[in-house]
Amino acid sequence: MTAEVTEQSGEIRGVNVRWIHVVAQGHTIEQVLQYDVAEAEAVYGRPFDDEMDRHIQMGMFAMDRISADGTMGKVASATSYLLDGKCIRTAKIEHCTDVEPLSAGWQITRADGTEVPRESWSCVAGTPPISHKDLTADEG
């Protein structure tokens, strides 16, 4: 599998967070959210603990609802772990619908009262949603 890695960064509750996307054949197959523990400790003025991690996680959910259109929820829900001074949440994306934007489910009604037909949302526009299982298989 040849995968492309893209990254976004932003601030959540005063802490810089990296949001990493692993993409194969146009489909998001993994997402990672991570932040530096030492930075979080400096921002909050106390040692890192579960309460601090939950506080930052709740900020991830808030950001998800406000600015990321619901696509961050899967990875924000993942269990966190610590590695090399980073707090990390990783989610394997097993199907296109796992990262479907909230807006994909909105029903749009025209001024004349008729509804705009909705297409199924997919990681790759214009294609039906699929399982990502075959995209993540190692090529031998």
Side-chain angles (χ1 to χ4, degrees):
M1 163 189 71
T2 303
E4 175 187 336
V5 178
T6 61
E7 179 181 325
Q8 295 173 282
S9 59
E11 186 177 296
I12 295 178
R13 297 200 167 170
V15 178
N16 291 311
V17 175
R18 290 176 57 209
W19 186 15
I20 301 162
H21 305 262
V22 180
V23 178
Q25 298 177 35
H27 294 268
T28 301
I29 59 170
E30 184 174 340
Q31 291 184 342
V32 180
L33 281 167
Q34 69 179 38
Y35 60 91
D36 187 77
V37 170
E39 179 185 353
E41 290 175 332
V43 167
Y44 290 96
R46 62 186 175 90
F48 182 80
D49 60 9
D50 288 342
E51 180 182 338
M52 184 187 301
D53 183 39
R54 275 192 301 276
H55 179 71
I56 296 170
Q57 180 189 29
M58 291 302 106
M60 291 175 185
F61 284 120
M63 181 178 167
D64 183 40
R65 288 188 304 272
I66 294 167
S67 65
D69 199 20
T71 58
M72 188 188 292
K74 179 95 171 171
V75 68
S77 298
T79 302
S80 66
Y81 58 95
L82 300 178
L83 180 66
D84 296 331
K86 307 278 186 207
C87 183
I88 302 168
R89 284 184 166 77
T90 300
K92 299 287 185 190
I93 309 302
E94 297 176 356
H95 196 280
C96 292
T97 56
D98 288 348
V99 289
E100 180 178 72
L102 294 174
S103 60
W106 295 348
Q107 186 59 55
I108 300 170
T109 305
R110 295 182 182 103
D112 66 4
T114 61
E115 293 182 351
V116 175
R118 290 191 325 230
E119 292 183 25
S120 296
W121 187 89
S122 172
C123 296
V124 179
T127 67
I130 64 167
S131 168
H132 293 175
K133 181 180 176 187
D134 293 336
L135 301 175
T136 59
D138 291 329
E139 295 176 355

